[in-house]
Amino acid sequence: MSETSWVTKAVIPVGGMGTRFLPATKAMPKEMLPLVDRPVIQFVVEEAVEAGLTDVLFVTGRNKNALENHFDRSTEVENLLESRGDATRLSEVMKATSLANIHYVRQGDALGLGHAVLKSRQHVGHEPFVVLLGDDVMEIEDQLLRDMLDAYREYNATIIALIEVDPDQIHLYGCAEVETTSDAQLVRIKNLVEKPQTGTAPSNLAIIGRYVLKPEIFDVLENTKPGAGGEIQLTDALKVLAQDDKIAGPVFGFIYKGKRYDTGDKLGYIQAVVEMALQRKDIGPALKQWLKQFGGG
Ligand code: UTP
């Protein structure tokens, strides 16, 4: 079992097909949909950087060009803004290019999240690392990832973010069977079930898209067979670790109470856009006024 070491690497799988958002995602990854004027993926990368991670690996699929271009320089756009003296927009545009050291690996066939994570093996090497799902957006001020990394360092454990959901929603998530610990925010995970059938879920604690993982997960993923939906599931590999702490130590769940948006889901996406727009100084007041008049039906 490895000693705790400093975590610097973030792996962000963006290779999914985004079927829930078709046809918008036919030619563009869902992670490039804008939340007001920044693509979803930029919020996720900013969260990783805010938590102290300096190296980002995207595991990409088809249509990765827009995403790659977003994190690259665009001299054409930069020159235009410079010639107009538009320093505000210029700094917004430049921000994405200097956030972190960004790398890419192709997933090939989209065989599931577990498969996407396995594709990061060579880049990650024998180090602990963080996985952030590219369509899951957290309130950055809540510092979820920072807290998870603190828990990792304290317990030398795999740490998975969990939220409490309505029991009738748990079948949409990976679900954790847990034991409490002396820390109210941390639970010991005893078992995991991906998308449990209604009435069979061991709890209402759902896995969300933030994980602090140890490199031992890769060997387990190598041997993980397709599970729910015919996909190689990260949850199934984590279940193996949770049931045998000799492999990589214990698996803990960190219960997140803050705000989260599932932007891969149409309703979740619209909620994120409206809430973020309302918080903005430039358009928030006018949107609020309009929402009042509109009445929402
Ligand atoms: P999702 O199930 O939310 O993504 O996977 P999806 O498959 O793109 O979405 P729908 O259900 O078809 O609308 C969770 C995360 O795992 C990534 C996705 O990009 C998303 O960030 N993923 C999933 C991969 O990178 N590769 C895969 O083979 C599957």
Side-chain angles (χ1 to χ4, degrees):
M1 213 190 302
S2 50
E3 296 236 318
T4 56
S5 46
W6 204 251
V7 185
T8 60
K9 288 179 181 165
V11 172
I12 309 185
V14 288
M17 299 295 278
T19 48
R20 282 170 295 164
F21 240 115
L22 283 167
T25 47
K26 186 177 167 196
M28 176 184 82
K30 61 181 166 180
E31 293 81 3
M32 285 304 295
L33 290 166
L35 295 177
V36 186
D37 51 12
R38 261 183 291 164
V40 167
I41 193 65
Q42 190 171 331
F43 287 86
V44 177
V45 173
E46 284 176 12
E47 185 192 335
V49 170
E50 193 65 33
L53 306 177
T54 51
D55 180 291
V56 171
L57 176 75
F58 287 115
V59 186
T60 65
R62 64 205 176 99
N63 303 325
K64 64 159 186 168
N65 291 359
L67 195 134
E68 245 184 19
N69 289 342
H70 182 72
F71 291 99
D72 198 1
R73 301 285 300 266
S74 167
T75 42
E76 210 182 345
V77 174
E78 289 167 24
N79 290 344
L80 177 73
L81 294 172
E82 218 165 77
S83 71
R84 288 182 179 169
D86 192 340
T88 311
R89 282 203 181 88
L90 183 60
S91 82
E92 274 296 321
V93 163
M94 298 284 286
K95 192 176 176 196
T97 63
S98 54
L99 277 171
N101 295 317
I102 296 198
H103 311 268
Y104 299 89
V105 63
R106 292 292 281 234
Q107 187 181 358
D109 293 326
L111 299 181
L113 176 58
H115 179 252
V117 171
L118 187 53
K119 289 284 171 178
S120 73
R121 182 173 201 162
Q122 200 181 357
H123 182 85
V124 168
H126 202 72
E127 289 175 33
F129 62 108
V130 167
V131 170
L132 300 97
L133 298 195
D135 56 354
D136 233 354
V137 174
M138 314 294 164
E139 187 74 69
I140 205 156
E141 283 80 25
D142 289 334
Q143 303 208 334
L144 167 65
L145 206 50
R146 234 170 229 283
D147 290 345
M148 290 174 69
L149 285 164
D150 284 347
Y152 159 74
R153 280 189 281 272
E154 188 167 350
Y155 298 103
N156 189 14
T158 298
I159 314 283
I160 306 174
L162 301 173
I163 52 165
E164 286 174 35
V165 297
D166 285 338
D168 63 354
Q169 295 291 302
I170 192 74
H171 68 280
L172 301 170
Y173 294 86
C175 173
E177 184 182 332
V178 301
E179 275 174 4
T180 52
T181 70
S182 55
D183 181 337
Q185 275 188 302
L186 273 190
V187 286
R188 174 89 186 248
I189 296 183
K190 307 303 289 178
N191 194 13
L192 292 164
V193 195
E194 184 60 34
K195 299 193 173 67
Q197 285 176 3
T198 310
T200 66
S203 75
N204 66 339
L205 290 172
I207 303 175
I208 54 169
R210 300 292 181 267
Y211 309 79
V212 183
L213 301 179
K214 298 169 117 189
E216 289 85 348
I217 189 83
F218 292 125
D219 278 342
V220 181
L221 280 169
E222 292 276 8
N223 294 305
T224 301
K225 302 269 173 302
E231 297 193 338
I232 298 174
Q233 299 286 356
L234 180 59
T235 305
D236 291 342
L238 290 166
K239 171 185 166 138
V240 172
L241 295 186
Q243 290 181 339
D244 183 357
D245 64 8
K246 286 191 288 303
I247 303 174
V251 178
F252 284 116
F254 187 95
I255 301 176
Y256 178 56
K257 303 270 188 194
K259 254 194 193 140
R260 166 200 179 240
Y261 303 100
D262 176 7
T263 67
D265 169 72
K266 278 181 262 199
L267 181 60
Y269 172 73
I270 305 241
Q271 288 166 337
V273 172
V274 172
E275 283 201 33
M276 286 189 187
L278 285 171
Q279 287 164 19
R280 292 265 300 240
K281 285 200 188 78
D282 54 350
I283 55 169
L287 176 64
K288 196 170 180 182
Q289 187 65 27
W290 180 80
L291 281 171
K292 266 196 209 135
Q293 283 164 9
F294 180 67

